[in-house]
Amino acid sequence: MKSLNKVQSHLIAECFNKLYIGGQFVDAIDGEKIPTYYPATGELLHEFPRGKANDVDAAIAAAEAAWVEGTWAGMSAAERAEIVIKMAQGIEDNIEMLAEIEAADVGKPYRQAAMTLGGAAGEGKYWCSLGKVLDAEQDVPVNSGGGEGGVPPAEWDVVYRRDPIGVIGLISAWNYPMNVAFRKVAPALVAGNCAILKPSEIAGLSCMFIGKLAQDAGIPPGVFNVVTGDRDAGAALAASPSVSMISFTGSTLTGSKIMGACAPKLSQVALELGGKSALVVFDDTDLDKAVETTMKGFLANGGQICTAHTRLVVQDSIEAPLLNKLKEELEKLPFCNDPITEKDRGDRAWEDGMTDVVQPVVCDSQHKKIMGFLHEAKAAGVEVLTGGDVPDDATVGNSGGYFIQPTVLINVERDADVWQKEVFGPVLSVRSFSTEDDAVLEANSTAFGLASTVMSSDPAKAMRVANRIRAGAVFATSTGEGLLAEHPAVSRGGFGFSGVGRELGIGGLHEYTELKSVNYTGFSLADTKKKHTG
Ligand code: NAD
């Protein structure tokens, strides 16, 4: 395929074929490779290094050496941000190439990839803008005036500092490769840490470019490293006694394994995990808006979004008309058989609320996993409103791609796997409710708590219900606008199975620091600023 050849011509560059350790591009010690395929056709896209525990150890040693040497941590956060911002600019300057790579690697329409890569660059700049904020948080007097119950007592003084944590591991998922990875890399570096990035083996090619961005920006050798590899490389990173924090985005199961690996050494974890978000629709919502929002909620990026709204909780009085319209709209949707060249369609959801094309899922193993959910659901008697299978070859223009029909399962039991587990594909499960209390009960009926949306034209009701939903990011809307939206300054994260810690905002930067108090006696803070003359 011509479009694939073009992407492969980008992938000849050194950074897409080597690990980045100690400021150099190097081969994996054992020389093994991992193949990756174009989701739309199943053709081989590229082979990249399978880094193993020995490569991870080399990257940790490089990061430790840089940490001990201390130049990076010794700079102010604003000085570090001046360097990291060049990396963010590098994403922006290379959006076209990176979007073609992500389209080929993940199977997402080029248009959507380009849009979200622009978001990654913008967010990177936001992290850099926080450099000054972090500097202003250094040596802040803890001052309640002393006296009874006050801090500090009269005889000594205290300041707070926010120190970097040390050598940290960044383990990322594949659904928005650059966005997920750079959301870790930028704050970790601005905060002064030395880091090793382990991108996903399923689709992580664009993340390999971050090594080149670091080299070009002048990040000192060893401060930032990239080791591609599979779960064994991730496990080696998490278990290393030299790694003081793991920032992880991925599945709940892996998150819990990482927490287990970090427990014996009591190292920090920040875990952004899976979701099973509910879209709650009250009967006073405009029907067309409700259908649009439902489609966007479960189909954007092929349903492969942690915050995908894959459970529809609809008021019984509008269930039938909503489902009829949803079925009609879904069955009209075309498939995207060459995401690399898809420049006009592809998640207009992000801009104007429309879902206009169905992309393939990322790989054969995810395809099998999703189809396994559907086979099991059907065998258990779950009703399929629409979809439920792979499209025929003629519909998608070839037979090798990992396509699945947009699927709606109705009257789903609350304990069914398709209600309780993250499918991570284009599959929506539906239950109805009659009262406001029932709506809350349904929305809160899984162990996940990442996001949720309440639709109602009654603002008081929308906010009342939103406030009772247990999730890290909740939207209350009468139009569907804002669904799945995020802003770099707004912290978010998960309740329960959806994670530990918060990303984004100043709280997201603080995740990469340790709060430290320094007590001092016998001199004033002003004395510490005097130049040493002896
Ligand atoms: P995954 O858990 O299979 O893999 C994620 C990363 O962990 C990969 O780099 C993988 O190699 C590594 N890994 C696997 N086993 C490991 C182990 N034992 N120790 C250390 N590392 C290990 O997840 P995935 O399939 O890549 O991503 C999809 C998941 O990510 C979904 O559950 C999705 O909801 C979640 N996600 C969450 C967010 C969020 O912000 N909450 C964002 C994007 C994706």
Side-chain angles (χ1 to χ4, degrees):
M1 197 179 239
K2 223 169 118 195
S3 57
L4 199 59
N5 293 342
K6 185 173 176 214
V7 178
Q8 285 165 334
S9 71
H10 302 317
L11 296 172
I12 292 167
E14 188 180 42
C15 63
F16 297 114
N17 294 281
K18 297 199 177 214
L19 312 178
Y20 182 66
I21 297 178
Q24 309 279 335
F25 287 100
V26 297
D27 289 317
I29 295 167
D30 293 347
E32 287 181 26
K33 303 267 184 196
I34 299 178
T36 180
Y37 303 91
Y38 185 30
T41 62
E43 290 165 89
L44 181 70
L45 166 65
H46 190 56
E47 290 184 303
F48 59 93
R50 185 188 297 276
K52 296 189 180 169
N54 45 8
D55 301 293
V56 169
D57 286 347
I60 293 171
E64 262 190 312
W67 175 251
V68 170
E69 193 271 334
T71 303
W72 187 249
M75 293 163 73
S76 71
E79 286 168 338
R80 290 189 293 261
E82 272 178 32
I83 301 177
V84 176
I85 205 163
K86 294 182 194 160
M87 298 171 71
Q89 188 57 47
I91 296 174
E92 199 167 299
D93 295 344
N94 289 281
I95 279 189
E96 199 176 316
M97 175 193 72
L98 292 169
E100 285 180 347
I101 290 173
E102 288 204 350
D105 207 10
V106 185
K108 60 176 72 194
Y110 172 92
R111 185 173 191 281
Q112 190 224 122
M115 206 182 316
T116 51
L117 280 157
E123 194 184 301
K125 290 179 185 177
Y126 164 77
W127 290 118
C128 293
S129 75
L130 291 187
K132 284 192 184 121
V133 178
L134 194 59
D135 286 336
E137 291 180 321
Q138 304 297 12
D139 297 332
V140 176
V142 181
N143 182 12
S144 65
E148 202 177 329
V151 176
E155 56 279 15
W156 44 270
D157 288 299
V158 187
V159 287
Y160 277 145
R161 294 186 58 78
R162 283 209 170 260
D163 280 3
I165 293 173
V167 173
I168 68 178
L170 313 173
I171 303 177
S172 59
W174 51 263
N175 54 338
Y176 289 90
M178 176 64 86
N179 295 63
V180 170
F182 205 63
R183 180 171 291 183
K184 300 182 183 306
V185 172
L189 293 181
V190 169
N193 299 285
C194 296
I196 299 109
L197 171 67
K198 208 299 278 174
S200 166
E201 67 276 31
I202 291 181
L205 294 176
S206 60
C207 302
M208 299 178 81
F209 193 67
I210 308 177
K212 174 158 172 49
L213 293 174
Q215 196 180 49
D216 291 351
I219 301 275
V223 167
F224 177 67
N225 308 272
V226 184
V227 178
T228 49
D230 59 21
R231 63 185 59 185
D232 294 342
L237 189 57
S240 168
S242 304
V243 173
S244 304
M245 177 198 186
I246 293 289
S247 171
F248 170 76
T249 298
S251 64
T252 299
L253 180 63
T254 307
S256 109
K257 285 184 189 164
I258 286 175
M259 207 169 185
C262 291
K265 51 181 176 146
L266 288 172
S267 56
Q268 306 272 5
V269 288
L271 306 173
E272 297 295 324
L273 309 179
K276 193 76 190 175
S277 302
L279 172 63
V280 178
V281 180
F282 281 94
D283 62 5
D284 52 9
T285 309
D286 177 87
L287 198 65
D288 289 342
K289 286 285 175 205
V291 170
E292 246 177 41
T293 309
T294 305
M295 287 172 69
K296 174 181 174 181
F298 90 98
L299 273 187
N301 203 35
Q304 305 164 122
I305 305 187
C306 53
T307 50
H309 285 46
T310 53
R311 293 184 299 131
L312 175 65
V313 177
V314 55
Q315 196 150 26
D316 43 17
S317 41
I318 54 156
E319 185 181 17
L322 191 153
L323 291 182
N324 285 341
K325 180 103 175 90
L326 180 65
K327 176 174 157 62
E328 192 187 313
E329 292 296 328
L330 288 174
E331 290 175 359
K332 284 197 291 209
L333 273 181
F335 287 83
C336 173
N337 47 27
D338 190 7
I340 301 168
T341 56
E342 191 63 78
K343 301 210 165 163
D344 300 323
R345 300 177 302 175
D347 277 353
R348 282 196 14 240
W350 299 112
E351 279 169 358
D352 53 18
M354 292 301 297
T355 301
D356 54 4
V357 74
V358 183
Q359 67 190 65
V361 299
V362 68
C363 64
D364 188 42
S365 63
Q366 279 299 116
H367 191 266
K368 288 198 170 85
K369 189 176 147 203
I370 299 163
M371 290 310 296
F373 271 110
L374 294 181
H375 289 316
E376 252 178 55
K378 286 192 269 186
V382 175
E383 277 176 73
V384 179
L385 176 75
T386 183
D389 217 329
V390 295
D392 56 40
D393 291 353
T395 313
V396 290
N398 68 75
S399 56
Y402 313 128
F403 289 95
I404 295 177
Q405 294 170 329
T407 298
V408 180
L409 305 171
I410 56 175
N411 300 320
V412 173
E413 294 293 332
R414 213 186 275 148
D415 61 357
D417 276 0
V418 285
W419 189 260
Q420 292 296 335
K421 295 188 178 167
E422 188 184 43
V423 177
F424 223 54
V427 179
L428 178 74
S429 297
V430 184
R431 283 179 62 79
S432 63
F433 69 91
S434 54
T435 67
E436 203 173 303
D437 282 348
D438 285 348
V440 173
L441 185 86
E442 295 295 354
N444 288 337
S445 64
T446 77
F448 293 97
L450 195 59
S452 260
T453 294
V454 183
M455 290 192 85
S456 168
S457 58
D458 173 350
K461 182 163 62 182
M463 283 303 269
R464 210 165 46 230
V465 173
N467 289 342
R468 292 174 66 191
I469 291 180
R470 288 187 50 73
V474 186
F475 303 84
T477 172
S478 54
T479 61
E481 233 164 273
L483 184 90
L484 305 179
E486 46 185 40
H487 188 279
V490 180
S491 290
R492 58 196 296 165
F495 288 21
F497 271 23
S498 293
V500 173
R502 291 293 177 265
E503 273 195 329
L504 302 177
I506 186 70
L509 185 62
H510 287 166
E511 292 276 343
Y512 295 94
T513 65
E514 292 275 22
L515 182 67
K516 180 167 89 183
S517 61
V518 181
N519 297 14
Y520 60 99
T521 59
F523 51 81
S524 75
L525 204 54
D527 294 335
T528 66
K529 311 288 177 203
K530 285 184 191 153
K531 282 219 164 77
H532 181 60
T533 50

